[in-house]
Amino acid sequence: MKNILVISLLCLSISLAFCQSTPKIDDLSIIPEVTEKDKKLANVYQLLDGKWKGQFKIYEDKQRKKKKSIDLKNITIKNLDKKGIEQVGYIEVEQIYTSETPYFQRVVITDYYPDQDKSVVAKGVNKIMDGKLICVVIKPDDTVIHDGYLENKNTIIWQRHEKSPQKVEYFRETVDANYYEIIGWGYYDGDDLDLTPKFWFHGKYERQK
């Protein structure tokens, strides 16, 4: 009986230690422990450190085609130069990134919606967990989580695929010393996944001195 009790207590201790060292993916307060898989991705977010300002433009495709008609992984700004795609809105954006470790970066995002004369502030993190790139942004009315992978040293691909409600997104984010640019697309609740994306996005931001 004594041996069983000791083993049970040991298992409980291991279980609690594991839970404490593995934060929830949307927890902004805890910096995940660094694993061996993470080390190859050290400083992957560092180029973003600082303040950025720019516009995030929203487009709607009013002449959608079959999805197989385009390569949705290999996208550029040229994808917006297509008959039927119209700009339907934009957001003035300020982003401030601060790396706390080579594997964990905080961001504060202020979005200004000119058509509503309204500003919305969100907080988030870019982090590396178990060899994976994770972006979490917590808005007043939503929590957005994207998984990412490094396409090259300046470009990260961010994506999510949620079913209820439907939110399928893909963004290519490219950063250099003074500018960074995002091109992407999204399907949302009720959008037909057999067609090309209904919504497209383009953001371009300039580093502030």
Side-chain angles (χ1 to χ4, degrees), residues 117-134:
D117 191 25
K118 180 179 76 172
S119 292
V120 176
V121 178
K123 294 184 178 181
V125 297
N126 290 326
K127 56 186 174 181
I128 300 169
M129 293 181 67
D130 196 28
K132 298 176 182 178
L133 306 183
I134 304 291

Side-chain angles (χ1 to χ4, degrees), residues 2-73:
K2 183 177 179 180
N3 289 340
I4 293 174
L5 179 60
V6 170
I7 291 171
S8 297
L9 289 172
L10 180 60
C11 289
L12 179 60
S13 298
I14 292 171
S15 176
L16 288 173
F18 178 78
C19 290
Q20 291 169 355
S21 64
T22 310
K24 290 170 58 180
I25 196 168
D26 60 351
D27 190 333
L28 305 187
S29 65
I30 298 177
I31 300 177
E33 292 185 8
V34 177
T35 68
E36 199 61 36
K37 293 179 181 179
D38 299 337
K39 293 180 180 179
K40 63 182 179 181
L41 295 169
N43 297 312
V44 70
Y45 303 124
Q46 195 173 43
L47 271 175
L48 282 168
D49 279 340
K51 180 188 287 189
W52 304 80
K53 287 186 177 181
Q55 284 190 351
F56 185 80
K57 297 178 181 179
I58 304 160
Y59 298 82
E60 182 176 352
D61 187 350
K62 299 181 182 295
Q63 297 183 21
R64 300 169 70 194
K65 299 179 179 179
K66 289 294 184 182
K67 182 189 288 187
K68 64 182 181 182
S69 65
I70 63 173
D71 180 358
L72 288 179
K73 300 295 184 182

Side-chain angles (χ1 to χ4, degrees), residues 7-204:
I7 291 171
S8 297
L9 289 172
L10 180 60
C11 289
L12 179 60
S13 298
I14 292 171
S15 176
L16 288 173
F18 178 78
C19 290
Q20 291 169 355
S21 64
T22 310
K24 290 170 58 180
I25 196 168
D26 60 351
D27 190 333
L28 305 187
S29 65
I30 298 177
I31 300 177
E33 292 185 8
V34 177
T35 68
E36 199 61 36
K37 293 179 181 179
D38 299 337
K39 293 180 180 179
K40 63 182 179 181
L41 295 169
N43 297 312
V44 70
Y45 303 124
Q46 195 173 43
L47 271 175
L48 282 168
D49 279 340
K51 180 188 287 189
W52 304 80
K53 287 186 177 181
Q55 284 190 351
F56 185 80
K57 297 178 181 179
I58 304 160
Y59 298 82
E60 182 176 352
D61 187 350
K62 299 181 182 295
Q63 297 183 21
R64 300 169 70 194
K65 299 179 179 179
K66 289 294 184 182
K67 182 189 288 187
K68 64 182 181 182
S69 65
I70 63 173
D71 180 358
L72 288 179
K73 300 295 184 182
N74 186 25
I75 56 174
T76 69
I77 189 67
K78 292 181 180 179
N79 286 92
L80 301 178
D81 186 20
K82 168 187 170 295
K83 186 176 180 181
I85 291 185
E86 301 177 10
Q87 185 177 333
V88 294
Y90 73 95
I91 306 168
E92 297 284 355
V93 182
E94 178 188 272
Q95 300 176 333
I96 302 174
Y97 291 91
T98 307
S99 288
E100 295 190 0
T101 79
Y103 310 93
F104 188 90
Q105 181 184 67
R106 295 193 184 276
V107 62
V108 178
I109 303 169
T110 303
D111 290 334
Y112 174 69
Y113 296 82
D115 57 336
Q116 304 174 48
D117 191 25
K118 180 179 76 172
S119 292
V120 176
V121 178
K123 294 184 178 181
V125 297
N126 290 326
K127 56 186 174 181
I128 300 169
M129 293 181 67
D130 196 28
K132 298 176 182 178
L133 306 183
I134 304 291
C135 175
V136 181
V137 176
I138 297 182
K139 303 179 180 182
D141 60 351
D142 193 16
T143 296
V144 181
I145 301 173
H146 286 106
D147 298 317
Y149 63 89
L150 200 61
E151 186 176 75
N152 57 57
K153 67 177 184 178
N154 293 92
T155 301
I156 297 175
I157 304 297
W158 293 111
Q159 51 196 342
R160 67 169 168 166
H161 195 146
E162 300 174 10
K163 292 185 178 180
S164 183
Q166 176 174 272
K167 295 176 184 176
V168 181
E169 294 174 332
Y170 180 92
F171 295 96
R172 171 174 275 113
E173 177 181 277
T174 301
V175 187
D176 65 23
N178 296 307
Y179 294 92
Y180 92 83
E181 190 168 14
I182 297 172
I183 179 73
W185 49 259
Y187 296 88
Y188 301 96
D189 215 21
D191 292 344
D192 188 343
L193 292 175
D194 291 327
L195 300 178
T196 51
K198 183 175 182 179
F199 291 101
W200 288 79
F201 310 101
H202 177 239
K204 190 165 186 179

